[in-house]
Amino acid sequence: MSVVQRKYEELIDAMPVHVKVARAGQMYQWYRDWIVRQILAEKGPLPDERLRLEVAMRIYGHEESVRHLIEKSLCRVSD
């Protein structure tokens, strides 16, 4: 392990749990925002509900049962 990696891990280990959780939440929000930007670049402007479901499909669509529920909801939402 490099000196830099060791120092990074020491600093992460020293963080209080609530700071680690907050950082994880920020990273998850960044990931969702990144997906939103991708979808909007591909499909153009979408109504909020449609965009929310498209994001859910990208994140959770690999699970067959969830994919089915999202697809049903997408059928009911206008473009």
Side-chain angles (χ1 to χ4, degrees):
M1 179 182 314
S2 72
V3 173
V4 173
Q5 181 68 30
R6 191 173 316 118
K7 184 62 177 175
Y8 171 79
E9 289 185 12
E10 286 173 10
L11 291 171
I12 295 295
D13 288 344
M15 281 183 191
V17 172
H18 73 280
V19 174
K20 291 178 186 178
V21 171
R23 286 173 54 110
Q26 291 167 346
M27 288 190 302
Y28 185 70
Q29 186 60 50
W30 178 89
Y31 172 63
R32 290 179 64 87
D33 292 344
W34 178 69
I35 291 172
V36 166
R37 289 190 300 273
Q38 282 186 325
I39 292 169
L40 293 175
E42 292 169 11
K43 299 183 179 203
L46 296 171
D48 289 343
E49 187 175 0
R50 176 100 190 167
L51 182 57
R52 181 180 59 79
L53 291 167
E54 293 284 347
V55 169
M57 183 65 82
R58 297 257 177 122
I59 295 174
Y60 306 110
H62 65 280
E63 294 184 33
E64 193 65 35
S65 60
V66 176
R67 180 179 207 76
H68 179 68
L69 292 172
I70 295 170
E71 287 171 345
K72 282 176 58 177
S73 295
L74 281 168
C75 289
R76 288 179 262 180
V77 176
S78 63
D79 288 329

Coordinates of all heavy atoms in Angstrom, one line a residue:
M1 N 0.8 -1.2 0.0 CA 0.0 0.0 0.0 C 0.9 1.2 0.0 O 1.9 1.3 0.7 CB -0.9 0.0 1.2 CG -1.8 1.2 1.4 SD -2.8 1.2 2.9 CE -3.5 -0.4 3.0
S2 N 0.5 2.2 -0.8 CA 1.3 3.4 -0.9 C 1.2 4.3 0.3 O 0.2 4.2 1.1 CB 1.0 4.2 -2.2 OG -0.3 4.8 -2.0
V3 N 2.1 5.2 0.5 CA 2.0 6.2 1.6 C 0.7 7.0 1.5 O 0.0 7.3 2.5 CB 3.2 7.1 1.6 CG1 3.1 8.2 2.7 CG2 4.5 6.3 1.9
V4 N 0.4 7.4 0.3 CA -0.8 8.2 0.0 C -2.0 7.4 0.4 O -2.9 8.0 1.1 CB -0.8 8.7 -1.4 CG1 -2.1 9.4 -1.7 CG2 0.4 9.6 -1.7
Q5 N -2.1 6.2 -0.1 CA -3.3 5.4 0.2 C -3.4 5.1 1.7 O -4.5 5.2 2.3 CB -3.2 4.0 -0.5 CG -4.3 3.1 -0.3 CD -5.6 3.6 -0.9 OE1 -5.6 4.3 -1.9 NE2 -6.7 3.3 -0.3
R6 N -2.3 4.9 2.4 CA -2.3 4.7 3.8 C -2.9 5.9 4.5 O -3.7 5.8 5.4 CB -1.0 4.3 4.3 CG -0.9 3.8 5.8 CD 0.4 3.3 6.2 NE 1.1 2.4 5.3 CZ 2.2 2.7 4.7 NH1 2.9 3.8 5.0 NH2 2.8 1.8 3.8
K7 N -2.4 7.1 4.2 CA -2.8 8.3 4.8 C -4.3 8.6 4.5 O -5.0 9.0 5.4 CB -2.0 9.5 4.2 CG -2.3 10.8 4.9 CD -1.9 10.8 6.4 CE -2.2 12.1 7.0 NZ -2.0 12.1 8.5
Y8 N -4.7 8.3 3.3 CA -6.1 8.5 3.0 C -7.0 7.6 3.9 O -8.0 8.0 4.4 CB -6.4 8.1 1.5 CG -7.8 8.0 1.1 CD1 -8.6 9.2 0.8 CD2 -8.5 6.8 1.0 CE1 -9.9 9.1 0.5 CE2 -9.8 6.7 0.7 CZ -10.5 7.9 0.4 OH -11.8 7.8 0.1
E9 N -6.6 6.3 4.0 CA -7.4 5.4 4.8 C -7.4 5.8 6.3 O -8.4 5.7 7.0 CB -6.9 4.0 4.6 CG -7.3 3.5 3.3 CD -6.9 2.0 3.0 OE1 -6.6 1.3 4.0 OE2 -7.0 1.6 1.9
E10 N -6.3 6.4 6.8 CA -6.2 6.8 8.1 C -7.2 8.0 8.3 O -7.9 8.1 9.4 CB -4.8 7.3 8.5 CG -3.8 6.2 8.7 CD -2.4 6.7 8.8 OE1 -2.2 8.0 9.0 OE2 -1.5 5.9 8.8
L11 N -7.3 8.9 7.4 CA -8.2 10.1 7.5 C -9.6 9.6 7.4 O -10.5 10.1 8.2 CB -7.8 11.1 6.4 CG -6.5 11.8 6.5 CD1 -6.2 12.6 5.3 CD2 -6.5 12.7 7.8
I12 N -9.9 8.7 6.5 CA -11.3 8.2 6.4 C -11.7 7.5 7.7 O -12.8 7.7 8.3 CB -11.4 7.2 5.2 CG1 -11.2 8.0 3.9 CG2 -12.8 6.5 5.3 CD1 -12.3 9.1 3.6
D13 N -10.8 6.6 8.3 CA -11.1 5.9 9.5 C -11.3 6.9 10.7 O -12.0 6.6 11.6 CB -9.9 4.9 9.8 CG -9.9 3.7 8.9 OD1 -10.9 3.5 8.2 OD2 -8.8 3.1 8.9
A14 N -10.6 8.0 10.6 CA -10.7 9.0 11.7 C -12.0 9.8 11.7 O -12.4 10.4 12.7 CB -9.6 9.9 11.7
M15 N -12.7 9.7 10.6 CA -14.0 10.5 10.4 C -15.1 9.9 11.3 O -15.2 8.7 11.4 CB -14.5 10.4 9.0 CG -13.8 11.3 8.0 SD -14.7 11.1 6.4 CE -13.6 11.9 5.4
P16 N -15.9 10.8 11.9 CA -17.0 10.3 12.6 C -18.0 9.7 11.7 O -18.1 10.0 10.5 CB -17.7 11.6 13.2 CG -16.6 12.6 13.1 CD -15.7 12.2 12.0
V17 N -18.8 8.7 12.2 CA -19.8 8.0 11.3 C -20.7 8.9 10.6 O -21.0 8.8 9.4 CB -20.5 7.0 12.2 CG1 -21.6 6.3 11.4 CG2 -19.6 5.9 12.7
H18 N -21.2 10.0 11.3 CA -22.2 10.9 10.6 C -21.6 11.6 9.4 O -22.2 11.9 8.5 CB -22.8 11.8 11.6 CG -21.9 12.9 12.1 ND1 -20.9 12.7 13.0 CD2 -21.8 14.2 11.7 CE1 -20.3 13.9 13.2 NE2 -20.8 14.8 12.4
V19 N -20.3 11.9 9.5 CA -19.6 12.5 8.3 C -19.5 11.5 7.2 O -19.7 11.9 6.0 CB -18.2 13.0 8.8 CG1 -17.4 13.6 7.6 CG2 -18.4 14.1 9.8
K20 N -19.1 10.3 7.5 CA -19.1 9.2 6.5 C -20.4 9.0 5.8 O -20.5 8.9 4.6 CB -18.6 7.9 7.0 CG -17.1 7.9 7.5 CD -16.8 6.6 8.1 CE -15.4 6.6 8.7 NZ -15.1 5.3 9.3
V21 N -21.5 9.0 6.6 CA -22.8 8.8 6.0 C -23.2 10.0 5.1 O -23.7 9.9 4.0 CB -23.9 8.6 7.1 CG1 -25.3 8.6 6.6 CG2 -23.6 7.3 7.8
A22 N -22.9 11.2 5.6 CA -23.2 12.4 4.8 C -22.4 12.4 3.5 O -23.0 12.8 2.5 CB -22.8 13.7 5.6
R23 N -21.2 12.0 3.5 CA -20.4 11.9 2.3 C -21.0 10.9 1.3 O -21.0 11.1 0.1 CB -18.9 11.6 2.6 CG -18.1 12.7 3.2 CD -16.8 12.3 3.7 NE -16.0 11.6 2.7 CZ -14.9 12.1 2.1 NH1 -14.5 13.4 2.4 NH2 -14.3 11.5 1.2
A24 N -21.4 9.8 1.9 CA -22.0 8.7 1.0 C -23.3 9.3 0.4 O -23.6 9.1 -0.8 CB -22.3 7.5 1.9
G25 N -24.1 10.0 1.2 CA -25.3 10.6 0.6 C -25.0 11.6 -0.5 O -25.7 11.7 -1.5
Q26 N -23.9 12.4 -0.3 CA -23.5 13.4 -1.3 C -23.0 12.7 -2.6 O -23.4 13.1 -3.7 CB -22.4 14.3 -0.8 CG -22.8 15.2 0.3 CD -21.7 15.9 1.0 OE1 -20.5 15.4 0.9 NE2 -22.0 16.9 1.8
M27 N -22.3 11.6 -2.4 CA -21.9 10.8 -3.6 C -23.1 10.2 -4.3 O -23.1 10.2 -5.6 CB -20.9 9.7 -3.2 CG -19.5 10.3 -2.8 SD -18.2 9.1 -2.6 CE -18.9 8.0 -1.4
Y28 N -24.1 9.7 -3.6 CA -25.2 9.1 -4.2 C -26.0 10.2 -5.0 O -26.5 10.0 -6.1 CB -26.1 8.4 -3.2 CG -27.3 7.7 -3.8 CD1 -27.2 6.6 -4.5 CD2 -28.6 8.2 -3.6 CE1 -28.3 6.0 -5.1 CE2 -29.7 7.6 -4.1 CZ -29.5 6.5 -4.9 OH -30.6 5.8 -5.4
Q29 N -26.1 11.4 -4.4 CA -26.8 12.5 -5.1 C -26.1 12.9 -6.3 O -26.7 13.2 -7.4 CB -27.0 13.7 -4.1 CG -27.8 14.8 -4.7 CD -29.2 14.3 -5.1 OE1 -29.9 13.7 -4.3 NE2 -29.6 14.6 -6.4
W30 N -24.8 12.9 -6.3 CA -24.0 13.2 -7.5 C -24.2 12.2 -8.6 O -24.4 12.6 -9.7 CB -22.5 13.2 -7.1 CG -21.6 13.5 -8.3 CD1 -21.2 14.7 -8.8 CD2 -21.1 12.6 -9.2 NE1 -20.5 14.6 -9.9 CE2 -20.4 13.2 -10.2 CE3 -21.1 11.2 -9.3 CZ2 -19.7 12.6 -11.3 CZ3 -20.5 10.5 -10.4 CH2 -19.8 11.2 -11.3
Y31 N -24.3 10.9 -8.2 CA -24.6 9.8 -9.1 C -25.9 10.0 -9.8 O -26.1 9.9 -11.0 CB -24.5 8.5 -8.4 CG -24.9 7.3 -9.1 CD1 -24.2 6.9 -10.3 CD2 -26.0 6.5 -8.7 CE1 -24.6 5.8 -11.0 CE2 -26.3 5.4 -9.4 CZ -25.7 5.0 -10.5 OH -26.0 3.9 -11.2
R32 N -27.0 10.3 -9.0 CA -28.3 10.6 -9.5 C -28.3 11.8 -10.5 O -28.9 11.7 -11.5 CB -29.3 10.7 -8.4 CG -29.6 9.5 -7.6 CD -30.6 9.7 -6.5 NE -31.9 10.1 -7.0 CZ -32.8 9.2 -7.4 NH1 -32.6 7.9 -7.3 NH2 -34.0 9.7 -7.8
D33 N -27.6 12.8 -10.1 CA -27.6 14.0 -10.9 C -26.9 13.7 -12.3 O -27.3 14.2 -13.3 CB -26.9 15.2 -10.2 CG -27.6 15.7 -9.0 OD1 -28.9 15.5 -8.9 OD2 -27.0 16.4 -8.2
W34 N -25.8 12.9 -12.2 CA -25.1 12.5 -13.4 C -26.0 11.7 -14.3 O -26.0 12.0 -15.6 CB -23.9 11.7 -13.0 CG -23.1 11.1 -14.1 CD1 -22.3 11.9 -15.0 CD2 -22.9 9.8 -14.5 NE1 -21.7 11.0 -15.9 CE2 -22.1 9.7 -15.6 CE3 -23.5 8.6 -14.0 CZ2 -21.7 8.5 -16.2 CZ3 -23.1 7.4 -14.6 CH2 -22.2 7.4 -15.7
I35 N -26.8 10.8 -13.8 CA -27.8 10.1 -14.6 C -28.8 11.0 -15.2 O -29.2 10.8 -16.4 CB -28.4 8.9 -13.8 CG1 -27.4 7.9 -13.4 CG2 -29.6 8.3 -14.5 CD1 -27.9 6.9 -12.4
V36 N -29.3 12.0 -14.4 CA -30.3 12.9 -15.0 C -29.7 13.7 -16.2 O -30.3 13.8 -17.2 CB -30.7 13.9 -13.9 CG1 -31.4 15.1 -14.5 CG2 -31.6 13.3 -12.8
R37 N -28.4 14.1 -16.0 CA -27.8 14.8 -17.2 C -27.7 13.9 -18.4 O -27.9 14.4 -19.5 CB -26.4 15.3 -16.7 CG -26.5 16.5 -15.7 CD -25.1 17.1 -15.5 NE -24.1 16.2 -15.0 CZ -23.9 16.0 -13.7 NH1 -24.7 16.6 -12.8 NH2 -23.0 15.2 -13.3
Q38 N -27.3 12.6 -18.2 CA -27.2 11.7 -19.3 C -28.6 11.5 -20.0 O -28.7 11.6 -21.2 CB -26.8 10.3 -18.8 CG -25.3 10.2 -18.6 CD -24.9 8.8 -18.2 OE1 -25.7 8.0 -17.6 NE2 -23.8 8.4 -18.7
I39 N -29.6 11.3 -19.2 CA -31.0 11.1 -19.8 C -31.4 12.4 -20.6 O -31.9 12.3 -21.7 CB -32.0 10.8 -18.7 CG1 -31.6 9.4 -18.1 CG2 -33.4 10.8 -19.2 CD1 -32.4 9.0 -16.9
L40 N -31.2 13.6 -20.0 CA -31.6 14.8 -20.6 C -30.8 15.0 -21.9 O -31.4 15.5 -22.9 CB -31.5 16.0 -19.7 CG -32.5 16.0 -18.5 CD1 -32.2 17.1 -17.6 CD2 -33.9 16.0 -19.0
A41 N -29.6 14.6 -21.9 CA -28.7 14.8 -23.1 C -29.2 13.9 -24.2 O -29.2 14.2 -25.4 CB -27.3 14.5 -22.8
E42 N -29.7 12.7 -23.8 CA -30.2 11.7 -24.8 C -31.6 12.0 -25.3 O -31.9 11.8 -26.5 CB -30.1 10.3 -24.2 CG -28.8 9.7 -23.9 CD -28.8 8.5 -23.1 OE1 -29.9 7.9 -22.9 OE2 -27.7 8.1 -22.6
K43 N -32.5 12.4 -24.4 CA -33.9 12.5 -24.7 C -34.4 13.9 -24.7 O -35.6 14.1 -25.1 CB -34.7 11.6 -23.7 CG -34.3 10.2 -23.7 CD -35.1 9.3 -22.8 CE -34.7 7.9 -22.9 NZ -35.7 7.0 -22.5
G44 N -33.7 14.8 -24.3 CA -34.2 16.2 -24.2 C -35.0 16.4 -23.0 O -35.1 15.5 -22.1
P45 N -35.7 17.6 -22.9 CA -36.5 17.9 -21.7 C -37.6 16.8 -21.5 O -38.2 16.4 -22.5 CB -37.1 19.2 -22.0 CG -36.2 19.8 -23.0 CD -35.7 18.7 -23.8
L46 N -37.8 16.5 -20.3 CA -38.9 15.5 -19.9 C -39.7 16.1 -18.7 O -39.1 16.8 -17.9 CB -38.3 14.2 -19.5 CG -37.5 13.4 -20.6 CD1 -36.8 12.2 -20.0 CD2 -38.5 12.9 -21.7
P47 N -41.0 15.7 -18.6 CA -41.7 16.0 -17.4 C -41.0 15.4 -16.2 O -40.4 14.4 -16.3 CB -43.1 15.4 -17.6 CG -43.2 15.2 -19.1 CD -41.8 15.0 -19.6
D48 N -41.2 16.1 -15.0 CA -40.5 15.6 -13.8 C -40.8 14.1 -13.5 O -39.9 13.4 -13.2 CB -40.9 16.4 -12.6 CG -40.3 17.8 -12.7 OD1 -39.3 18.0 -13.4 OD2 -40.8 18.7 -12.0
E49 N -42.0 13.7 -13.6 CA -42.4 12.3 -13.2 C -41.7 11.3 -14.2 O -41.2 10.3 -13.8 CB -43.9 12.1 -13.2 CG -44.2 10.7 -12.7 CD -45.7 10.5 -12.5 OE1 -46.5 11.5 -12.8 OE2 -46.1 9.4 -12.1
R50 N -41.7 11.7 -15.5 CA -41.1 10.8 -16.5 C -39.6 10.7 -16.2 O -39.0 9.6 -16.3 CB -41.3 11.3 -17.9 CG -40.6 10.6 -19.0 CD -41.6 9.7 -19.6 NE -40.9 8.7 -20.5 CZ -41.5 7.7 -20.9 NH1 -42.7 7.4 -20.6 NH2 -40.9 6.9 -21.7
L51 N -38.9 11.8 -15.9 CA -37.5 11.9 -15.6 C -37.2 11.0 -14.4 O -36.2 10.3 -14.4 CB -37.0 13.3 -15.5 CG -35.6 13.5 -15.2 CD1 -34.7 12.9 -16.3 CD2 -35.3 15.0 -15.0
R52 N -38.0 11.2 -13.4 CA -37.8 10.4 -12.1 C -37.9 8.9 -12.4 O -37.0 8.1 -11.9 CB -38.9 10.8 -11.1 CG -38.8 10.1 -9.8 CD -39.9 10.5 -8.9 NE -41.2 10.3 -9.4 CZ -41.9 9.1 -9.4 NH1 -41.2 8.0 -8.8 NH2 -43.1 8.9 -9.8
L53 N -38.8 8.5 -13.3 CA -38.9 7.0 -13.6 C -37.8 6.6 -14.5 O -37.3 5.5 -14.3 CB -40.3 6.8 -14.2 CG -41.5 6.9 -13.3 CD1 -42.8 6.9 -14.1 CD2 -41.5 5.8 -12.3
E54 N -37.3 7.4 -15.4 CA -36.2 7.1 -16.2 C -34.9 6.9 -15.4 O -34.1 6.0 -15.6 CB -35.9 8.1 -17.3 CG -37.0 8.3 -18.3 CD -37.0 7.2 -19.4 OE1 -36.0 6.4 -19.5 OE2 -38.0 7.1 -20.1
V55 N -34.8 7.7 -14.4 CA -33.6 7.6 -13.5 C -33.7 6.3 -12.7 O -32.8 5.5 -12.6 CB -33.5 8.8 -12.5 CG1 -32.5 8.6 -11.4 CG2 -33.2 10.1 -13.2
A56 N -34.9 6.0 -12.2 CA -35.2 4.8 -11.4 C -34.8 3.6 -12.3 O -34.2 2.6 -11.8 CB -36.6 4.7 -10.9
M57 N -35.2 3.6 -13.6 CA -35.0 2.5 -14.5 C -33.5 2.3 -14.6 O -33.0 1.2 -14.6 CB -35.6 2.8 -15.8 CG -35.4 1.6 -16.8 SD -36.3 0.1 -16.3 CE -37.9 0.5 -16.9
R58 N -32.7 3.4 -14.8 CA -31.2 3.2 -14.9 C -30.6 2.7 -13.6 O -29.6 1.9 -13.7 CB -30.6 4.6 -15.2 CG -31.0 5.2 -16.5 CD -30.0 5.0 -17.6 NE -30.5 5.5 -18.8 CZ -29.9 6.5 -19.5 NH1 -28.8 7.0 -19.1 NH2 -30.5 6.9 -20.7
I59 N -31.1 3.1 -12.5 CA -30.5 2.6 -11.2 C -31.0 1.2 -10.8 O -30.1 0.4 -10.4 CB -30.8 3.6 -10.1 CG1 -30.1 5.0 -10.4 CG2 -30.3 3.1 -8.8 CD1 -30.4 6.1 -9.4
Y60 N -32.3 1.0 -10.9 CA -32.8 -0.3 -10.4 C -33.4 -1.2 -11.4 O -33.9 -2.3 -11.1 CB -34.0 0.1 -9.4 CG -33.6 1.0 -8.3 CD1 -34.1 2.3 -8.3 CD2 -32.7 0.7 -7.4 CE1 -33.7 3.2 -7.4 CE2 -32.3 1.6 -6.4 CZ -32.8 2.9 -6.4 OH -32.4 3.7 -5.4
G61 N -33.3 -0.9 -12.7 CA -33.9 -1.7 -13.8 C -33.3 -3.0 -14.0 O -33.9 -3.9 -14.6
H62 N -32.1 -3.3 -13.4 CA -31.5 -4.6 -13.5 C -32.3 -5.7 -12.8 O -32.1 -6.9 -13.0 CB -30.1 -4.6 -13.1 CG -29.9 -4.3 -11.7 ND1 -30.0 -3.0 -11.1 CD2 -29.7 -5.1 -10.6 CE1 -29.8 -3.1 -9.8 NE2 -29.6 -4.3 -9.5
E63 N -33.1 -5.3 -11.8 CA -33.9 -6.2 -11.1 C -35.2 -6.4 -11.8 O -36.0 -5.5 -11.9 CB -34.2 -5.8 -9.6 CG -32.9 -5.7 -8.8 CD -33.1 -5.3 -7.4 OE1 -34.2 -5.7 -6.8 OE2 -32.3 -4.6 -6.8
E64 N -35.5 -7.6 -12.2 CA -36.7 -7.9 -13.1 C -38.0 -7.4 -12.5 O -38.8 -6.8 -13.2 CB -36.8 -9.4 -13.4 CG -37.7 -9.8 -14.5 CD -37.3 -9.2 -15.8 OE1 -36.1 -9.1 -16.1 OE2 -38.2 -8.8 -16.6
S65 N -38.3 -7.7 -11.2 CA -39.5 -7.3 -10.6 C -39.7 -5.7 -10.6 O -40.7 -5.2 -10.8 CB -39.7 -7.9 -9.3 OG -38.7 -7.5 -8.4
V66 N -38.6 -5.1 -10.3 CA -38.6 -3.6 -10.2 C -38.7 -3.0 -11.6 O -39.5 -2.1 -11.8 CB -37.3 -3.1 -9.5 CG1 -37.3 -1.6 -9.5 CG2 -37.2 -3.6 -8.1
R67 N -38.0 -3.6 -12.5 CA -38.1 -3.2 -13.9 C -39.6 -3.2 -14.4 O -40.1 -2.3 -15.0 CB -37.2 -4.0 -14.8 CG -37.3 -3.6 -16.3 CD -36.3 -4.5 -17.1 NE -35.9 -3.8 -18.3 CZ -35.0 -2.9 -18.3 NH1 -34.4 -2.5 -17.2 NH2 -34.6 -2.3 -19.4
H68 N -40.3 -4.3 -14.1 CA -41.7 -4.5 -14.5 C -42.5 -3.3 -13.9 O -43.3 -2.7 -14.6 CB -42.2 -5.8 -14.1 CG -43.6 -6.1 -14.4 ND1 -44.0 -6.2 -15.7 CD2 -44.7 -6.2 -13.6 CE1 -45.3 -6.4 -15.7 NE2 -45.8 -6.4 -14.5
L69 N -42.3 -3.0 -12.6 CA -43.1 -2.0 -12.0 C -42.8 -0.6 -12.6 O -43.7 0.2 -12.9 CB -42.8 -1.9 -10.5 CG -43.3 -3.1 -9.7 CD1 -42.8 -3.0 -8.3 CD2 -44.8 -3.1 -9.7
I70 N -41.6 -0.3 -12.9 CA -41.2 0.9 -13.5 C -41.8 1.0 -14.9 O -42.3 2.1 -15.3 CB -39.6 1.1 -13.5 CG1 -39.1 1.2 -12.1 CG2 -39.3 2.4 -14.3 CD1 -37.6 1.1 -12.0
E71 N -41.7 0.0 -15.7 CA -42.2 0.0 -17.0 C -43.7 0.2 -17.0 O -44.2 1.0 -17.9 CB -42.0 -1.4 -17.8 CG -40.5 -1.5 -18.2 CD -40.2 -2.9 -18.7 OE1 -40.9 -3.8 -18.5 OE2 -39.1 -3.0 -19.3
K72 N -44.5 -0.4 -16.1 CA -45.9 -0.1 -15.9 C -46.2 1.4 -15.6 O -47.1 2.0 -16.2 CB -46.5 -1.0 -14.8 CG -46.8 -2.4 -15.3 CD -47.3 -3.3 -14.1 CE -48.5 -2.8 -13.5 NZ -49.1 -3.6 -12.5
S73 N -45.3 2.0 -14.8 CA -45.5 3.4 -14.4 C -45.2 4.3 -15.6 O -45.8 5.3 -15.8 CB -44.6 3.7 -13.2 OG -45.0 3.0 -12.1
L74 N -44.1 3.9 -16.4 CA -43.8 4.7 -17.5 C -44.9 4.7 -18.6 O -45.1 5.7 -19.3 CB -42.5 4.1 -18.2 CG -41.2 4.5 -17.5 CD1 -40.0 3.7 -18.0 CD2 -40.9 6.0 -17.6
C75 N -45.6 3.6 -18.7 CA -46.7 3.6 -19.7 C -47.8 4.6 -19.3 O -48.5 5.0 -20.2 CB -47.3 2.2 -19.7 SG -46.3 1.0 -20.5
R76 N -48.0 4.9 -18.0 CA -49.0 5.8 -17.6 C -48.6 7.3 -17.6 O -49.4 8.2 -17.4 CB -49.5 5.5 -16.2 CG -50.3 4.2 -16.2 CD -50.6 3.9 -14.8 NE -49.6 2.9 -14.3 CZ -49.6 2.3 -13.2 NH1 -50.4 2.6 -12.3 NH2 -48.7 1.4 -12.9
V77 N -47.3 7.5 -17.9 CA -46.8 8.9 -17.8 C -46.6 9.4 -19.2 O -46.2 8.7 -20.1 CB -45.4 8.9 -17.1 CG1 -44.8 10.3 -17.1 CG2 -45.6 8.4 -15.7
S78 N -47.0 10.7 -19.4 CA -46.9 11.3 -20.8 C -45.4 11.7 -21.0 O -44.6 12.0 -20.1 CB -47.8 12.5 -20.9 OG -47.4 13.5 -20.0
D79 N -45.1 11.9 -22.3 CA -43.8 12.4 -22.6 C -43.8 13.9 -22.6 O -43.5 14.7 -22.8 CB -43.3 11.9 -24.0 CG -43.0 10.4 -23.9 OD1 -42.5 9.9 -22.9 OD2 -43.2 9.7 -24.9

